[in-house]
Amino acid sequence: MPPILPSRLERSIALRYLKGRKRSRFASLTTVIAIGGVAIGVTALIVVLGVMNGLRDDLRDRILVANPHLRILTYGASLRMDNWREALDSVRKNPAVVAAAPEVLTKSLILNSAQYPAAVDVVGWQPPERGQPAVTPLPRYLKQGDLAFQAKSDSVQGAIVLGYRLAARLSVYVGDEVTLVSPTSLKPNRATGTRVPSLWKFEVSGIFDTGMYQYDDGFAVLDLATAQRFAGLGDAVTGIQIRLRDPWRAPQVGDSLQRQLGYPFRSFDWQSQNQSLFSALQLEKRAMGLIICFIMIVAAFNIIGTLTMVVAEKTKEIGILQAMGFTPRGIGRVFLTQGAIIGAVGTTSGLLGGLLLAYLIDRSGLIRIDPAVYFIDRLPVHLELVDVVGVVLFSFLVAVAATLHPSRAAARLTPVEAIRHE
């Protein structure tokens, strides 16, 4: 059975042909162009896939800063949960649950000392007990102050924590006072007989920076008891927030808890809440990967052109090699080895360049983007081993496949025709 791998002589001939002119220590220009095409394609594909992975992972992490993995809500027009304590105890017994806590979500209007208004999402947050994990990692993103919700002034109804963009828009700092308009706590106006919303004064006790524009620009956090009073819920809450061991299993765990709790409880996971966003990112990743793959195909044509020129240039030498005892398979392996060398060098160069470029883009935050549109303020790059291995294998196989036609053309030459070639 003839050998599949090239011999040492075949490899040395392949390297000699890649150098081009005699006495040249370096590769010919056509070889450099072929290697460069492969390297550029690999670099581009690695960086693009890393960017798409980075967008997906960063968006997921930032979404989960203020959002739990899973929420238990209730049906009904009031969206209030009265018997939440029994449901909370049942949820905490599930082995997939790491932490669970009640929450209050409502909307309001916030005013600074100059009565400048801004819309705000008010979150009622319950700090975890000592030694217990928090449902969301919000405490890690505090920029100033704390989450103790301790007001120093007696003239306010409590303390509040704001996103840093919202605080900057209102020109307020830790220690300043803001006003929230409660749409549910209505007071009768003695002059007109109508009921008007009441105003609640709060002292800013902390400012957080999650890096997520939507949260930093429009969220305010109160302690749970104050949020219940502010929303007019009494002892009720609007839902139960849950942290899971595996956030990617949120839909399955949510269905299980919904069946366990029964009506009127329902589950709402973070993936369903952002399904359109992540579906679009996945589709864009596939589309961009397919487009960049065409660069690899162009590089393959460069390899075909390079080896075809080598076959035409070295026809007489091929005939001499055949006359000296080289078999057609051996001639074919010479040119397959050339393609493999081009593919290996180009792929390795592109891999190193892609890894370096991805590292520089991710670490330096060189490429800035509009957080109001993309939720994050810089372009992240996260590489996955599966993607990198796939790119390397695809590039090398394309390079080797591109040599099949030139190698067959060289193997079909007869010694007499090759030696007579001018």
Side-chain angles (χ1 to χ4, degrees):
M1 181 177 179
I4 298 176
L5 297 177
S7 64
R8 183 176 180 181
L9 177 60
E10 292 166 350
R11 292 196 299 271
S12 64
I13 294 174
L15 288 171
R16 170 66 187 82
Y17 284 174
L18 287 174
K19 290 181 180 179
R21 295 192 302 263
K22 295 180 180 180
R23 300 176 184 176
S24 174
R25 294 184 178 182
F26 305 101
S28 66
L29 179 61
T30 55
T31 301
V32 172
I33 292 175
I35 292 174
V38 175
I40 291 173
V42 172
T43 299
L45 198 51
I46 287 177
V47 172
V48 166
L49 293 179
V51 167
M52 301 311 300
N53 291 334
L55 286 173
R56 180 200 63 197
D57 295 343
D58 266 32
L59 283 175
R60 178 200 63 197
D61 294 342
R62 296 188 189 279
I63 284 171
L64 295 178
V65 168
N67 267 331
H69 299 161
L70 185 66
R71 278 190 171 97
I72 298 296
L73 306 174
T74 183
Y75 293 103
S78 64
L79 298 178
R80 58 180 289 154
M81 187 182 296
D82 292 294
N83 54 340
W84 58 270
R85 289 183 175 83
E86 295 81 358
L88 180 62
D89 292 338
S90 180
V91 165
R92 285 174 172 170
K93 293 177 182 178
N94 191 297
V97 174
V98 174
E103 69 171 355
V104 171
L105 290 176
T106 187
K107 291 184 178 292
S108 180
L109 193 69
I110 188 169
L111 308 170
N112 61 10
S113 58
Q115 303 303 301
Y116 176 84
V120 66
D121 290 297
V122 180
V123 180
W125 190 76
Q126 185 181 63
E129 298 177 0
R130 184 181 297 274
Q132 297 298 318
V135 177
T136 62
L138 183 62
R140 297 206 307 261
Y141 294 91
L142 274 178
K143 193 176 181 181
Q144 300 175 28
D146 53 41
L147 283 169
F149 300 104
Q150 298 295 326
K152 298 178 181 178
S153 174
D154 296 331
S155 62
V156 297
Q157 278 113 330
I160 191 170
V161 178
L162 304 178
Y164 89 97
R165 291 182 182 273
L166 177 62
R169 190 148 53 95
L170 297 173
S171 296
V172 297
Y173 304 91
V174 173
D176 291 347
E177 294 183 6
V178 294
T179 302
L180 286 182
V181 180
S182 175
T184 55
S185 301
L186 302 179
K187 293 182 178 180
N189 188 300
R190 295 180 180 179
T192 62
T194 59
R195 301 178 69 86
V196 296
S198 60
L199 302 180
W200 292 55
K201 284 188 174 294
F202 291 95
E203 180 182 311
V204 178
S205 63
I207 294 175
F208 60 83
D209 178 7
T210 66
M212 185 77 166
Y213 181 88
Q214 182 181 0
Y215 299 149
D216 296 337
D217 192 59
F219 269 57
V221 183
L222 302 174
D223 70 276
L224 183 67
T226 303
Q228 286 174 311
R229 295 195 306 272
F230 176 77
L233 293 172
D235 195 41
V237 297
T238 59
I240 297 173
Q241 53 181 345
I242 302 171
R243 177 182 173 186
L244 303 175
R245 300 187 188 279
D246 183 4
W248 295 106
R249 293 191 65 249
Q252 294 81 5
V253 177
D255 291 341
S256 174
L257 289 173
Q258 185 171 320
R259 290 192 300 270
Q260 175 184 333
L261 297 172
Y263 185 83
F265 296 101
R266 60 187 175 95
S267 65
F268 189 52
D269 61 87
W270 69 275
Q271 289 170 278
S272 299
Q273 183 178 356
N274 303 277
Q275 184 176 8
S276 59
L277 174 62
F278 286 98
S279 297
L281 287 175
Q282 186 65 23
L283 179 61
E284 189 173 356
K285 177 182 176 181
R286 293 175 182 175
M288 292 297 295
L290 180 62
I291 292 171
I292 300 299
C293 282
F294 284 108
I295 296 179
M296 310 297 299
I297 297 175
V298 172
F301 279 103
N302 286 336
I303 295 173
I304 293 173
T306 298
L307 296 185
T308 301
M309 291 174 60
V310 171
V311 171
E313 181 184 350
K314 305 294 183 182
T315 300
K316 184 177 289 187
E317 295 183 19
I318 292 171
I320 294 173
L321 290 174
Q322 289 179 325
M324 294 174 62
F326 258 79
T327 64
R329 288 181 178 271
I331 297 296
R333 284 195 295 270
V334 169
F335 289 93
L336 281 172
T337 303
Q338 282 186 262
I341 293 173
I342 292 173
V345 175
T347 300
T348 303
S349 302
L351 175 62
L352 296 177
L355 294 177
L356 178 61
L357 186 58
Y359 176 82
L360 292 176
I361 293 174
D362 186 57
R363 292 296 181 182
S364 66
L366 181 64
I367 302 178
R368 313 299 294 187
I369 56 180
D370 186 359
V373 178
Y374 299 99
F375 302 105
I376 53 180
D377 57 1
R378 64 180 182 85
L379 196 65
V381 183
H382 296 169
L383 297 177
E384 293 185 354
L385 181 61
V386 174
D387 290 338
V388 173
V389 172
V391 170
V392 169
L393 291 177
F394 176 75
S395 171
F396 185 75
L397 291 176
V398 167
V400 173
T403 65
L404 293 178
H405 174 71
S407 62
R408 287 176 180 176
R412 284 197 298 265
L413 291 174
T414 62
V416 175
E417 292 177 347
I419 293 174
R420 288 179 179 176
H421 178 76
E422 294 295 335

Short mmCIF file of all heavy atoms in Angstrom, two decimals, residues 50-64 248 278 281 376 380-384:
data_model
loop_
_atom_site.label_atom_id
_atom_site.label_comp_id
_atom_site.label_asym_id
_atom_site.label_seq_id
_atom_site.Cartn_x
_atom_site.Cartn_y
_atom_site.Cartn_z
N GLY A 50 -15.60 36.10 18.29
CA GLY A 50 -15.36 36.54 19.66
C GLY A 50 -16.19 37.75 20.03
O GLY A 50 -16.69 37.86 21.15
N VAL A 51 -16.37 38.68 19.08
CA VAL A 51 -17.20 39.86 19.34
C VAL A 51 -18.65 39.45 19.57
O VAL A 51 -19.31 39.95 20.50
CB VAL A 51 -17.10 40.85 18.17
CG1 VAL A 51 -18.18 41.91 18.27
CG2 VAL A 51 -15.72 41.51 18.16
N MET A 52 -19.17 38.55 18.75
CA MET A 52 -20.55 38.12 18.91
C MET A 52 -20.74 37.38 20.23
O MET A 52 -21.75 37.57 20.93
CB MET A 52 -20.98 37.23 17.74
CG MET A 52 -20.88 37.90 16.37
SD MET A 52 -21.63 39.54 16.30
CE MET A 52 -23.33 39.16 16.73
N ASN A 53 -19.77 36.56 20.61
CA ASN A 53 -19.84 35.89 21.92
C ASN A 53 -19.76 36.91 23.06
O ASN A 53 -20.46 36.79 24.07
CB ASN A 53 -18.70 34.87 22.07
CG ASN A 53 -18.85 33.68 21.14
OD1 ASN A 53 -19.95 33.34 20.74
ND2 ASN A 53 -17.74 33.06 20.78
N GLY A 54 -18.90 37.91 22.88
CA GLY A 54 -18.76 38.93 23.91
C GLY A 54 -20.03 39.73 24.10
O GLY A 54 -20.43 40.03 25.24
N LEU A 55 -20.68 40.10 23.01
CA LEU A 55 -21.94 40.83 23.11
C LEU A 55 -22.97 39.99 23.84
O LEU A 55 -23.70 40.48 24.72
CB LEU A 55 -22.44 41.20 21.72
CG LEU A 55 -21.70 42.34 21.01
CD1 LEU A 55 -22.20 42.47 19.58
CD2 LEU A 55 -21.87 43.65 21.75
N ARG A 56 -23.06 38.72 23.48
CA ARG A 56 -24.04 37.85 24.13
C ARG A 56 -23.75 37.70 25.62
O ARG A 56 -24.65 37.86 26.46
CB ARG A 56 -24.02 36.47 23.46
CG ARG A 56 -25.01 35.46 24.03
CD ARG A 56 -24.58 34.06 23.67
NE ARG A 56 -23.28 33.74 24.26
CZ ARG A 56 -22.53 32.71 23.87
NH1 ARG A 56 -22.91 31.95 22.87
NH2 ARG A 56 -21.37 32.47 24.46
N ASP A 57 -22.49 37.42 25.98
CA ASP A 57 -22.16 37.17 27.39
C ASP A 57 -22.26 38.44 28.22
O ASP A 57 -22.76 38.41 29.36
CB ASP A 57 -20.74 36.60 27.49
CG ASP A 57 -20.61 35.23 26.86
OD1 ASP A 57 -21.67 34.58 26.64
OD2 ASP A 57 -19.48 34.80 26.58
N ASP A 58 -21.79 39.57 27.68
CA ASP A 58 -21.85 40.82 28.44
C ASP A 58 -23.29 41.27 28.64
O ASP A 58 -23.66 41.74 29.73
CB ASP A 58 -21.05 41.91 27.74
CG ASP A 58 -19.63 42.00 28.27
OD1 ASP A 58 -19.11 40.94 28.65
OD2 ASP A 58 -19.05 43.10 28.29
N LEU A 59 -24.10 41.15 27.61
CA LEU A 59 -25.51 41.51 27.75
C LEU A 59 -26.19 40.62 28.78
O LEU A 59 -26.98 41.09 29.60
CB LEU A 59 -26.21 41.41 26.41
CG LEU A 59 -25.95 42.56 25.43
CD1 LEU A 59 -26.59 42.26 24.09
CD2 LEU A 59 -26.47 43.88 25.98
N ARG A 60 -25.88 39.33 28.75
CA ARG A 60 -26.47 38.42 29.74
C ARG A 60 -26.05 38.81 31.15
O ARG A 60 -26.90 38.91 32.05
CB ARG A 60 -26.02 36.98 29.45
CG ARG A 60 -26.54 35.95 30.44
CD ARG A 60 -25.69 34.71 30.40
NE ARG A 60 -24.33 34.99 30.81
CZ ARG A 60 -23.29 34.18 30.56
NH1 ARG A 60 -23.47 33.06 29.90
NH2 ARG A 60 -22.08 34.51 30.98
N ASP A 61 -24.74 39.06 31.36
CA ASP A 61 -24.26 39.40 32.70
C ASP A 61 -24.86 40.71 33.19
O ASP A 61 -25.23 40.84 34.37
CB ASP A 61 -22.73 39.48 32.70
CG ASP A 61 -22.08 38.14 32.43
OD1 ASP A 61 -22.76 37.11 32.60
OD2 ASP A 61 -20.91 38.12 32.04
N ARG A 62 -24.97 41.68 32.30
CA ARG A 62 -25.49 42.98 32.73
C ARG A 62 -27.00 42.93 32.93
O ARG A 62 -27.53 43.62 33.81
CB ARG A 62 -25.10 44.05 31.71
CG ARG A 62 -23.60 44.24 31.62
CD ARG A 62 -23.24 45.43 30.77
NE ARG A 62 -21.81 45.49 30.52
CZ ARG A 62 -20.90 45.98 31.36
NH1 ARG A 62 -21.30 46.45 32.53
NH2 ARG A 62 -19.63 46.00 31.06
N ILE A 63 -27.67 42.14 32.14
CA ILE A 63 -29.11 41.96 32.35
C ILE A 63 -29.38 41.33 33.71
O ILE A 63 -30.32 41.70 34.42
CB ILE A 63 -29.71 41.11 31.22
CG1 ILE A 63 -29.84 41.95 29.94
CG2 ILE A 63 -31.09 40.57 31.61
CD1 ILE A 63 -30.21 41.14 28.72
N LEU A 64 -28.52 40.40 34.12
CA LEU A 64 -28.72 39.69 35.38
C LEU A 64 -28.18 40.45 36.59
O LEU A 64 -28.26 39.94 37.71
CB LEU A 64 -28.05 38.30 35.30
CG LEU A 64 -28.67 37.35 34.28
CD1 LEU A 64 -27.92 36.03 34.25
CD2 LEU A 64 -30.14 37.12 34.57
N TRP A 248 -29.08 29.02 32.62
CA TRP A 248 -29.56 28.58 31.31
C TRP A 248 -30.72 27.60 31.42
O TRP A 248 -31.39 27.33 30.42
CB TRP A 248 -28.42 27.97 30.50
CG TRP A 248 -27.35 28.96 30.17
CD1 TRP A 248 -26.11 29.06 30.73
CD2 TRP A 248 -27.42 30.03 29.22
NE1 TRP A 248 -25.41 30.10 30.19
CE2 TRP A 248 -26.19 30.72 29.25
CE3 TRP A 248 -28.42 30.47 28.34
CZ2 TRP A 248 -25.93 31.81 28.44
CZ3 TRP A 248 -28.15 31.56 27.52
CH2 TRP A 248 -26.92 32.21 27.58
N PHE A 278 -31.49 37.98 22.20
CA PHE A 278 -30.51 36.92 22.08
C PHE A 278 -30.69 36.13 20.78
O PHE A 278 -29.71 35.63 20.21
CB PHE A 278 -30.58 35.99 23.30
CG PHE A 278 -29.98 36.59 24.54
CD1 PHE A 278 -30.78 37.20 25.49
CD2 PHE A 278 -28.61 36.58 24.74
CE1 PHE A 278 -30.23 37.77 26.63
CE2 PHE A 278 -28.05 37.15 25.88
CZ PHE A 278 -28.87 37.74 26.83
N LEU A 281 -28.90 38.17 18.20
CA LEU A 281 -27.45 38.04 18.32
C LEU A 281 -26.96 36.71 17.75
O LEU A 281 -25.92 36.65 17.08
CB LEU A 281 -27.03 38.16 19.79
CG LEU A 281 -27.09 39.56 20.41
CD1 LEU A 281 -26.78 39.49 21.89
CD2 LEU A 281 -26.11 40.49 19.71
N ILE A 376 -24.50 48.39 26.32
CA ILE A 376 -23.15 48.38 26.87
C ILE A 376 -22.34 49.45 26.15
O ILE A 376 -22.68 49.88 25.05
CB ILE A 376 -22.47 47.00 26.72
CG1 ILE A 376 -22.54 46.52 25.26
CG2 ILE A 376 -23.13 45.98 27.63
CD1 ILE A 376 -21.89 45.18 25.04
N PRO A 380 -17.03 44.13 23.60
CA PRO A 380 -16.32 43.05 24.29
C PRO A 380 -15.99 41.92 23.32
O PRO A 380 -16.65 41.73 22.30
CB PRO A 380 -17.35 42.58 25.33
CG PRO A 380 -18.68 42.84 24.65
CD PRO A 380 -18.49 44.04 23.76
N VAL A 381 -14.94 41.16 23.63
CA VAL A 381 -14.55 40.01 22.82
C VAL A 381 -14.31 38.83 23.75
O VAL A 381 -13.43 38.88 24.61
CB VAL A 381 -13.26 40.30 22.00
CG1 VAL A 381 -12.94 39.11 21.11
CG2 VAL A 381 -13.42 41.55 21.18
N HIS A 382 -15.12 37.79 23.63
CA HIS A 382 -14.98 36.58 24.43
C HIS A 382 -14.80 35.40 23.49
O HIS A 382 -15.69 35.10 22.70
CB HIS A 382 -16.21 36.35 25.32
CG HIS A 382 -16.41 37.42 26.34
ND1 HIS A 382 -17.56 37.54 27.09
CD2 HIS A 382 -15.61 38.45 26.74
CE1 HIS A 382 -17.46 38.57 27.89
NE2 HIS A 382 -16.29 39.14 27.70
N LEU A 383 -13.65 34.75 23.56
CA LEU A 383 -13.37 33.61 22.69
C LEU A 383 -13.80 32.31 23.35
O LEU A 383 -13.60 32.12 24.56
CB LEU A 383 -11.89 33.56 22.36
CG LEU A 383 -11.32 34.76 21.56
CD1 LEU A 383 -9.83 34.60 21.36
CD2 LEU A 383 -12.03 34.88 20.23
N GLU A 384 -14.37 31.43 22.56
CA GLU A 384 -14.76 30.10 23.03
C GLU A 384 -13.90 29.07 22.31
O GLU A 384 -13.64 29.18 21.10
CB GLU A 384 -16.24 29.85 22.77
CG GLU A 384 -17.16 30.73 23.59
CD GLU A 384 -18.62 30.38 23.40
OE1 GLU A 384 -18.91 29.50 22.53
OE2 GLU A 384 -19.47 30.97 24.10
#
